[in-house]
Structure formats: C-alpha cells, structure tokens
Amino acid sequence: MNTQPIRPAVVELRDGVPFAPAFGDVYHARAGALAQAAHVFLNGNGLPRRWAGRTDFTIVETGFGLGNNFLATWAAWRADAQRCERLHFISIEKHPLTRDDLARVLAGHPLGDLAARLLAQWPPLTPNLHRLDFEDARVRLTLAFGEAAALLPELRLRADAFYLDGFAPDRNPEMWSERLMAGLGRLAASGATAATWSAARAVRDGLSLAGFEVERVPGFGGKREMTVARFAPRHSAPPPAADMPTPVRDRHAVVLGAGLAGASVAHALATLGWSCELIDRHPRPAEGASGNPAGLFHGIVLPDDGAHARLHRAAALCLQQGLLRLRERHPLVGGFEGLLRADDAPAASMQALLARQGLPPDYVQVLEAAQAEARSGLPLGRPAWFFPGGGWLRPADLVQALLAEAGEAVRWRGMLEIRALEHRADGWTLIDAAGRVAARAEVVVLANAFEAASLVPGFAWPLQRVRGQVTRLPATLPGLVLPRVPVAAGGYLLPAHEGLSLCGATSQPGDDDPTVRASDHQHNLARLARLGVAPPAADPAMLEGRVGWRAVTPDRLPLIGPLPDLAALPALGHRAGQPRHLPRLPGLYACTGLGSRGITWSLLAGEITAAWITGQPCPVEGGLRDAVDVGRFLSRAARQRRRP
C-alpha cells in the first residue's frame, strides 16, 4: 500500500453547522449530530441491542469527520447495563482535523467529558492506524488515516456493524463506489449490519453487490428515507489461513520469555480478557537483553516511506500513546522530552523529504545545526531529526509496569526452563529440564528469542545472535559533556541520571563472550566524536558496563504470528509465496526478533500478537502485518524458487 501525505480537513461553521468547503457539504444535519448518530447509525444497526452480552463488538465507520458518531456510540455503550465487554470502533478518515481545529468544533459539546478525553489522545496526522484506548481499553478507537478504498482491504478484522458516513455521493463519489462496498463485504462477519443516511440508488446497488440485503427506512432531519442492510451473501469464501484465530475452550495462554516482548504480549492478552502464565528461566522478569540499564525509543524517517518506515512509525506512536497511560500509574525511570538523531544530509534536503511525506511536527521535525546544538547542548555541527515522542527509559521498568497493569491475569513463573513442546489433541504440553510436565495450554507464545529455536527444531529460525556492550559513564568524568536529551548517530549518549550516563552500543554478530571488555568501552567512547563530544579522559579498563545479546532478523523486522505448519507446505503450491496463505500450527505463536529497537517495538509487537491470537482487529495494515509475519522468509524462498 502506497501512503500519501495527510491533508487536514478545513472546517467552517455556517449558521452553527460545521461545513466542509472542499466538498461543499455539511458534516451533519442541522437537527443535530448526536440525534443523527442515534437515529441513523445506532438504531439503523440495531444498537445497543445487538451488542448485549457479547464479549467483543466491532464497528467500522467510513468517515470519522468530527467524531460525533464515535462519541454517541461510546456514550450509548457506557449507559447500557447489557453492553459488550469490549467495543472496537474502527474509523477511516482521509482528511482528519488538526488537534486545534477538533478542539474548536468540539467546544461546548454535549458530551464534553468524552470529547475532552478524545482530544487528549488525538494522534499525530500520519498515514497510519492509530489506536486510542478508553475505559481501561474496553473501548478501543482505531483511526485509519488515508483513502477509504485503499485502507479497507488492509484492515484485518471481522465487523459486526458498518457506519457509512461520507459526504454526499454526488460530492464525494469515492466513498460510495462499488469497490468500497465490496471491501465492506470482505470484512463483514456473519449477520453484520450497515446503515447510512443516504438512500441513493448507487449506494443500495453497491451494498447489494457486496452481499447485503438492503432496505429503505424512514430517514432523519428532513430526509424522507435512509438505507439499512444486513450481510447475507449467497457464497462466502473462507479467510486466509493467517487470519484464522485458534479456536479455544478458555482464554488462557502460556508466554515463554519475560523480557519486553513477553511482557507486552501478556499485557495485551490480559487487556483482551485472557489469563497468562509468564515463564522464564531467570528468577525475575527482564533479566536478558531487557535488563540493560537504559535504552532509546523513537521513530524513523526513510526516503521511500516503505514498510520499514511505516512499521517503525506505527511502533513509536503506539509506544508514545502507551507511555501516556503507564507513566500516570507507574514509576518509569527515563527521559520523555524527545530524542535527536543527527544526520549528515543537508538540512534543506531533510526538510524537502519531510515536506514530500507530509509528516507532522508532533511526530518529527528537522532542526538545523544551530537548533540541534541548542536543543541537545552538544556541539553536533550537523542538523538532526527531532522526535518529540522519543526518549529513553529503563526497560525493566516498562516490563514491570506492563505486568502490574495486567495484575492477576498474569501468573509469573520464574526459574523454569522449558526444554520441549508437545502438541496433543487438547493443545500444547510444555516439558521442563527434568522431563516433567510444566504447563499445558491451547495457546503458547514463544517470546524467548534464541531459546525458541530448540523448541521448534524443524523451523529454520532467521535469527542472528548479536552481542552488544554498553558503557556507564560517571557524569563527573573530566571533559565529559552530556546532552539535555538523548542524542544518537550510530552510537548514542544519554543525559545524566543519578550521576551516571550511558553510551554505546557495540554490535558484534556471533560473539558469545559475556565478559565486559575494555576494548569495547574504548569503541563506545570513540563513537562519541560523531556526536561532537570529545572522548573523556577515562581509563576504559576502569569503566563499568553490561553485555547482552540482541535477536536480529535479516531484514531488521520482528518475527510475529502463528508458526507455519511445515508438513502442510508442499500441498500449498504457488500460494506459498504469500505469508497469509501459509498453513499454521494451531495455537503456537512467536513474538521475537525485536533487535536493537526492543523498547520502540515492544507494545505494538504485543498488540499485533494478541490480535492475531484472539481474532480481534489488528493494529496495523495487512501489508505491514505480512512484513513481520514469522513465515515471511518461507514465502520469500518460495517466490525465489518460482523465478526462471
């Protein structure tokens, strides 16, 4: 999917009614936005009656607009004693409002408290899926910014209801096209409903072709009729193998590995109402690579804005949203005022790249050399990317915060080494080092990096073991200049905290030496010159540090998703070239290979894994999920074999 820069909406108030001059149409009827939402979209979809007693209910909306339909639905959910456990609301918007404009049009809103909470989480306007959690994640809003016809095929979910709320068909025809309607049919769960204020013949015909039974009912606000529909196709194709969640008798999983990946998976599953056993061979969580004293988190900017850039951006924004909540409830050691990444390119070319991609300043900014030096306090001598949502933190704090949020839903089991997995009719059996049964579960997640390879020996895990050593620097070292915010450029340097700074880190594939080496300290100190910092007068042999190993993939993206069923691959034929068609082992998942960006990746990787397990809406587009699919290297090999 090719992304386009997001152009914010222009909204005018005409006689008290929000008006879109680009489309020559109003955002809602003069009779009132909330009344229209109740009549057309809630009543038109049989809500709140249809979500009563459900575990999850998913609504897809075409046209977020000013957010009134979401706010009305959220308010109805709160007021309903029979409400579903979780409400998923996915809304597509090509021209979202800026935060300031949204605040202006929502001022004095009848649902003022809910509107304020929406504003507080309003994301940067980047072409991504943005997940916003409310009511302790029992109400989840996913904002999809971009073209509706392009985004609908990229959504991985099953919708129970559709709100069709674009501008009028004669003024915004792309929101009512047959292609878009066909996309609704591909997402519709059995018995899904749809409603719209429009009664245009083309809208009704498009829904009919997509498999909906359509009827006209009394309209709202002076409109004689509107359209409601129910999904009842004559034929229904089964979804791809990768989209099928494992059927389970109870919502329980075993997660192996208690670092950032494992804790994030356990937290994400607990949020969806699952319980977990979190098993690790160490006595405490976050003792492996996640045990480093500090690490960076930030997004990236790349010239083509391809899968790598979009995934890292999604991960950085997901973490940014998550940290807003976690920092309110848990102590997190770190710096959260932004991060600088120095660059050798001219500032003008960096600005041109930013303008071409339309990335907003609340995600990334270009600072000229003087601005970068003023912000960092270092003599960088170069321009830099500034990520306002970036920073540094102690990984173990993030792990502990995630587990504390999960509470009793996660049972910790340390000092337990799992040596084998056995698949039986009732799920997976985990065998410990003494040959005893340690646990049983229908769902197992391998978040234990290199140890996963021994548990699934037939699968060629594309993981490289890369040694990294960090260096602790006393802030009082003679000649040492420390930054105000973390600064990176190959290596990195952190601000002082409790009298210490951190720099690093080495990258040494295939090196298994656990010893903290003076030569590696010397390497880290030498790299400070890239940041304009003269190496301090210090004996490397006297410095302290830590050694850890990163699990790195060839394409530097994580391994996430259900493990492929190798025995069933030969029968797949040419379809093996697409990861989503690979047959999967029931209930066995991976979340590993986070590499050197473990903090940045952690929350999004956990969310993707949990959505895959439960069949709940995926927080990234389908093409991006394919890019991290644990089976992608098998598919690449299959495509290469087909080439002449």
Side-chain angles (χ1 to χ4, degrees):
M1 175 183 171
N2 294 322
T3 59
Q4 298 295 326
I6 299 300
R7 290 190 296 111
V10 175
V11 182
E12 299 175 358
L13 290 177
R14 297 190 177 180
D15 297 326
V17 177
F19 181 83
F23 296 95
D25 203 356
V26 294
Y27 274 92
H28 57 75
R30 188 174 298 279
L34 296 182
Q36 176 175 299
H39 180 92
V40 176
F41 299 110
L42 285 158
N43 293 343
N45 281 286
L47 299 174
R49 171 183 52 81
R50 288 185 55 235
W51 67 38
R54 294 273 299 269
T55 301
D56 296 271
F57 194 89
T58 299
I59 297 170
V60 171
E61 178 185 50
T62 56
F64 186 77
L66 311 183
N68 284 301
N69 294 336
F70 168 67
L71 293 172
T73 305
W74 182 6
W77 179 90
R78 295 183 90 199
D80 183 15
Q82 303 300 316
R83 60 183 175 250
C84 52
E85 289 182 24
R86 278 171 300 280
L87 175 65
H88 303 273
F89 196 105
I90 296 88
S91 188
I92 302 173
E93 179 55 63
K94 183 178 180 180
H95 300 296
L97 275 68
T98 64
R99 184 190 301 270
D100 289 345
D101 280 347
L102 189 62
R104 176 170 56 88
V105 299
L106 293 181
H109 197 279
L111 299 174
D113 175 59
L114 303 189
R117 290 161 69 180
L118 172 63
L119 273 170
Q121 289 197 50
W122 193 245
L125 303 188
T126 65
N128 285 97
L129 304 190
H130 302 266
R131 176 168 286 172
L132 284 58
D133 281 348
F134 306 96
E135 311 287 352
D136 289 327
R138 291 179 296 156
V139 173
R140 311 196 90 170
L141 169 63
T142 300
L143 293 166
F145 292 156
E147 295 268 3
L151 281 166
L152 278 172
E154 290 287 326
L155 298 179
R156 294 294 175 263
L157 53 85
R158 280 290 173 262
D160 300 297
F162 295 96
Y163 291 4
L164 308 183
D165 195 24
F167 292 114
D170 60 338
R171 305 182 189 197
N172 191 18
E174 67 184 35
M175 291 293 284
W176 307 96
S177 66
E178 285 187 12
R179 178 189 173 198
L180 185 140
M181 298 299 172
L184 303 183
R186 284 191 293 269
L187 296 177
S190 176
T193 59
T196 174
W197 52 265
S198 176
R201 177 64 180 270
V203 175
R204 291 183 281 117
D205 288 348
L207 285 169
S208 294
L209 288 172
F212 288 84
E213 294 177 346
V214 181
E215 62 177 309
R216 286 177 286 184
V217 298
F220 173 81
K223 290 187 66 67
R224 187 165 59 90
E225 293 180 320
M226 58 178 259
T227 303
V228 297
R230 181 179 178 276
F231 189 60
R234 294 180 180 178
H235 306 286
S236 183
D243 290 345
M244 295 288 287
T246 301
V248 295
R249 290 177 294 276
D250 58 72
R251 294 182 290 174
H252 176 76
V254 169
V255 180
L256 298 183
L260 286 165
S264 295
V265 170
H267 171 263
L269 284 172
T271 300
L272 293 174
W274 282 52
S275 64
C276 295
E277 292 175 73
L278 185 61
I279 296 176
D280 197 285
R281 61 188 176 88
H282 294 104
R284 291 176 298 276
E287 293 246 318
S290 299
N292 272 352
L296 307 180
F297 57 90
H298 59 93
I300 61 173
V301 179
L302 295 176
D304 63 354
D305 202 41
H308 277 71
R310 289 159 54 206
L311 277 163
H312 281 93
R313 182 167 66 234
L317 292 172
C318 177
L319 181 70
Q320 186 174 331
Q321 285 281 8
L323 288 176
L324 287 175
R325 298 188 301 273
L326 292 171
R327 290 178 62 205
E328 290 177 352
R329 306 182 187 184
H330 307 281
L332 294 177
V333 171
F336 306 94
E337 296 78 33
L339 175 144
L340 282 169
R341 190 164 191 89
D343 201 297
D344 292 325
S349 66
M350 295 165 66
Q351 289 283 12
L353 173 59
L354 209 57
R356 188 166 68 249
Q357 295 187 4
L359 297 175
D362 46 353
Y363 172 64
V364 63
Q365 303 165 25
V366 174
L367 302 186
E368 298 197 17
Q371 295 172 311
E373 290 181 352
R375 175 85 65 166
S376 67
L378 298 183
L380 291 173
R382 289 179 293 162
W385 301 102
F386 177 63
F387 294 91
W392 71 274
L393 59 77
R394 188 160 56 195
D397 287 355
L398 179 55
V399 168
Q400 292 294 347
L402 292 170
L403 297 182
E405 285 285 295
E408 294 181 359
V410 176
R411 177 190 173 202
W412 162 249
R413 300 181 66 188
M415 297 294 288
L416 179 56
E417 188 169 354
I418 302 301
R419 291 287 183 86
L421 290 174
E422 296 178 1
H423 188 244
R424 301 175 183 175
D426 59 348
W428 294 91
T429 298
L430 292 80
I431 309 300
D432 68 12
R436 297 171 300 209
V437 173
R440 291 188 176 92
E442 294 172 277
V443 171
V444 174
V445 182
L446 304 178
N448 51 348
F450 311 106
E451 297 167 39
S454 63
L455 299 176
V456 191
F459 182 62
W461 290 84
L463 287 175
Q464 186 178 35
R465 186 176 168 89
V466 177
R467 180 185 182 276
Q469 180 175 312
V470 297
T471 300
R472 287 189 176 95
L473 297 173
T476 55
L477 277 177
L480 178 62
V481 180
L482 293 177
R484 300 189 181 98
V485 296
V487 182
Y492 63 82
L493 183 63
L494 300 188
H497 174 72
E498 295 182 347
L500 290 172
S501 177
L502 198 74
C503 71
T506 61
S507 179
Q508 298 149 321
D511 188 335
D512 290 327
D513 182 9
T515 307
V516 175
R517 301 187 298 225
S519 59
D520 289 349
H521 286 324
Q522 185 65 51
H523 171 86
N524 289 337
L525 294 176
R527 294 174 80 180
L528 295 179
R530 291 269 299 157
L531 306 177
V533 176
D539 181 359
M542 302 302 293
L543 296 174
E544 296 181 347
R546 187 179 188 273
V547 174
W549 284 267
R550 313 179 196 109
V552 179
T553 62
D555 59 8
R556 299 302 190 268
L557 293 176
L559 298 175
I560 301 174
L563 269 290
D565 184 351
L566 301 180
L569 278 180
L572 197 60
H574 69 279
R575 292 195 301 157
Q578 292 294 329
R580 66 191 65 175
H581 295 303
L582 295 176
R584 308 292 173 140
L585 292 171
L588 185 60
Y589 294 79
C591 182
T592 188
L594 276 57
S596 61
R597 297 181 181 268
I599 297 174
T600 303
W601 265 112
S602 56
L603 296 196
L604 183 64
E607 294 278 359
I608 294 172
T609 307
W612 224 324
I613 291 169
T614 62
Q616 298 308 310
C618 182
V620 296
E621 302 94 308
L624 297 186
R625 195 184 71 172
D626 288 348
V628 297
D629 192 323
V630 68
R632 67 187 182 271
F633 294 100
L634 289 174
S635 291
R636 290 177 193 175
R639 292 195 298 271
Q640 290 172 353
R641 287 194 296 270
R642 292 205 309 268
R643 292 174 183 163

